[in-house]
Amino acid sequence: MSIRKWYLIHKWSSLVCTAFLLMLCLTGLPLIFHEEIEHLSGVVEAPIMAENTPNASMDAVADAARKQRPQEVIRFMFWEQDEHPNVTLVSMAKSMDASPDDSNIVLVDSRTAKVLDAPPPDRGFMYVMLKLHIDMFAGLPGMLFLGFMGLLFAVAIISGIVLYHPFMRRLDFGTVRREKQARLKWLDIHNLLGVATLVWALVVGITGTINTLSQIVIMVWQGDQMADMIAPYKGLPPPVKLGSLQGSIDTAKKAVPDMHVSFVAFPGSMFSSPHHYTVFLKGNTPVTSRLLRPALIDAQTAQLTDTREMPWYVKTLLLSQPLHFGDYGGLPLKVIWTLLDLITIVVLGSGLYLWLKRHQHVEQRIQHLQQAHAETL
């Protein structure tokens, strides 16, 4: 392929995605530090108690949440021991099939089964940043659109790499021609920063695109592995009365003893069936702690129905999420992600500046030629 064709690919793929990529970079900055911002905003935490204080029965925790919001049902229970130790986050809604945006959270002390807080749904700054970053308040179409922008960003990066070599043949690597006009200086800066961050930008762009497919991946998993796991219950009426939640969690722990519980999906919720508590467990290493293994527990008998490793496409999604936000290596990695994000903003902004300047230059030349032509008449 000729250099001119690569130039056109780089030009138009960049122009189409630049505005949206700038928005994603800007909204992504506070999301990198969402844990720290949550703590600074005054999120209620569990009181300090003796380290070996045992947990209460999760049935008691569930009852406490139901008393707090008696008109709602429990859909999920989460545990984030690193971020919120000894706190059970109970996700509730008016119905099992309500929109995720209509959920309410009740925070319960895992050891005493006492409600710590029942905050109203967060619709503040972080919520707006998250929604803009994920789907621009447009649901699945917005997610898929941003995924397409991520693919265009990857195309722009690859085409930029192809163009960089012939461009730099007569210049030393890292040269910035400050003595020349401003447009040439910014062209050199744009190329240098783009090459310096290309690996990170590709990783973040591709993982971001993968993340936009999360709803589709979940639907595929539900129709594939999940459907196979719950096949013996097909056609059976939903249970009238549920058995012990704590018993179901204990069964899952015995079935997968080398992992610990991450969250529980209640019967009838998105990640479960009407007949099961689906207990999702995760490992203890930096990699396995990002992967989930479902254990389906009969909601009436607390007996194990099935447990399997997630298929490859779900594992890909689960591993791409922390890599995208840089939240698997602590604060130092978050700082690095922030610096690279800021550099990418400069690359995108300088690219837009270069196009506008070139466009203005072409218009000026046209006007000059028209004026010269008019003078000759």
Side-chain angles (χ1 to χ4, degrees), residues 61-62 65 74 76-78 88-92 104-108:
V61 171
I74 299 175
F76 309 104
M77 277 188 173
F78 299 87
T88 300
L89 291 85
V90 185
S91 177
M92 306 183 70
N104 294 302
I105 297 293
V106 178
L107 282 69
V108 184

Side-chain angles (χ1 to χ4, degrees), residues 135-196:
D135 61 13
M136 300 187 298
F137 292 92
L140 181 58
M143 292 180 69
L144 296 178
F145 177 80
L146 289 178
F148 180 61
M149 292 300 103
L151 287 178
L152 286 182
F153 183 48
V155 171
I157 293 171
I158 294 170
S159 57
I161 296 171
V162 174
L163 294 172
Y164 187 72
H165 174 67
F167 174 79
M168 290 299 296
R169 279 182 302 184
R170 300 176 182 178
L171 297 172
D172 294 331
F173 178 78
T175 299
V176 177
R177 292 167 289 182
R178 293 183 175 84
E179 71 281 0
K180 303 290 183 179
Q181 56 181 300
R183 186 176 178 277
L184 282 178
K185 180 182 73 173
W186 276 107
L187 177 62
D188 292 339
I189 292 173
H190 175 82
N191 291 332
L192 175 61
L193 295 180
V195 168

Side-chain angles (χ1 to χ4, degrees), residues 25-46:
C25 287
L26 291 170
T27 56
L29 283 172
L31 295 177
I32 294 173
F33 296 98
H34 72 94
E35 298 170 11
E36 290 78 8
I37 292 173
E38 283 180 3
H39 287 293
L40 290 174
S41 64
V43 175
V44 175
E45 300 291 352

Side-chain angles (χ1 to χ4, degrees), residues 138-326:
L140 181 58
M143 292 180 69
L144 296 178
F145 177 80
L146 289 178
F148 180 61
M149 292 300 103
L151 287 178
L152 286 182
F153 183 48
V155 171
I157 293 171
I158 294 170
S159 57
I161 296 171
V162 174
L163 294 172
Y164 187 72
H165 174 67
F167 174 79
M168 290 299 296
R169 279 182 302 184
R170 300 176 182 178
L171 297 172
D172 294 331
F173 178 78
T175 299
V176 177
R177 292 167 289 182
R178 293 183 175 84
E179 71 281 0
K180 303 290 183 179
Q181 56 181 300
R183 186 176 178 277
L184 282 178
K185 180 182 73 173
W186 276 107
L187 177 62
D188 292 339
I189 292 173
H190 175 82
N191 291 332
L192 175 61
L193 295 180
V195 168
T197 60
L198 68 90
V199 174
W200 178 85
L202 266 177
V203 168
V204 172
I206 292 172
T207 54
T209 299
I210 293 172
N211 290 341
T212 63
L213 301 175
S214 59
Q215 292 187 29
I216 295 175
V217 169
I218 290 170
M219 288 189 289
V220 172
W221 173 73
Q222 289 172 329
D224 178 22
Q225 187 183 80
M226 184 72 168
D228 189 47
M229 294 171 75
I230 64 176
Y233 291 79
K234 187 176 181 180
L236 296 179
V240 177
K241 185 178 180 180
L242 301 180
S244 170
L245 169 62
Q246 183 63 57
S248 298
I249 293 175
D250 292 340
T251 298
K253 289 180 177 179
K254 290 177 183 178
V256 193
D258 57 336
M259 304 180 81
H260 61 276
V261 178
S262 176
F263 77 96
V264 176
F266 275 58
S269 62
M270 180 186 297
F271 300 106
S272 193
S273 82
H275 305 275
H276 295 89
Y277 288 110
T278 304
V279 182
F280 288 88
L281 304 100
K282 61 182 181 180
N284 301 301
T285 68
V287 174
T288 60
S289 65
R290 303 296 176 174
L291 299 175
L292 296 173
R293 182 185 180 112
L296 268 66
I297 313 299
D298 189 296
Q300 289 182 292
T301 65
Q303 298 298 309
L304 177 70
T305 295
D306 200 351
T307 179
R308 306 179 188 181
E309 286 191 9
M310 286 288 199
W312 66 269
Y313 51 86
V314 179
K315 289 182 178 180
T316 301
L317 173 66
L318 293 173
L319 290 174
S320 71
Q321 290 172 340
L323 191 59
H324 182 71
F325 288 107

Side-chain angles (χ1 to χ4, degrees), residues 21-99:
L21 263 296
L22 278 171
M23 182 272 293
L24 291 172
C25 287
L26 291 170
T27 56
L29 283 172
L31 295 177
I32 294 173
F33 296 98
H34 72 94
E35 298 170 11
E36 290 78 8
I37 292 173
E38 283 180 3
H39 287 293
L40 290 174
S41 64
V43 175
V44 175
E45 300 291 352
I48 297 175
M49 300 175 67
E51 188 174 346
N52 58 350
T53 302
N55 285 337
S57 167
M58 288 300 110
D59 292 297
V61 171
D63 288 341
R66 291 190 185 101
K67 290 178 182 177
Q68 183 68 32
R69 294 187 180 276
Q71 304 301 319
E72 299 182 359
V73 295
I74 299 175
R75 296 198 290 187
F76 309 104
M77 277 188 173
F78 299 87
W79 293 271
E80 300 173 344
Q81 196 62 23
D82 294 335
E83 296 181 33
H84 307 289
N86 301 310
V87 175
T88 300
L89 291 85
V90 185
S91 177
M92 306 183 70
K94 293 189 180 299
S95 64
M96 283 294 180
D97 58 354
S99 168

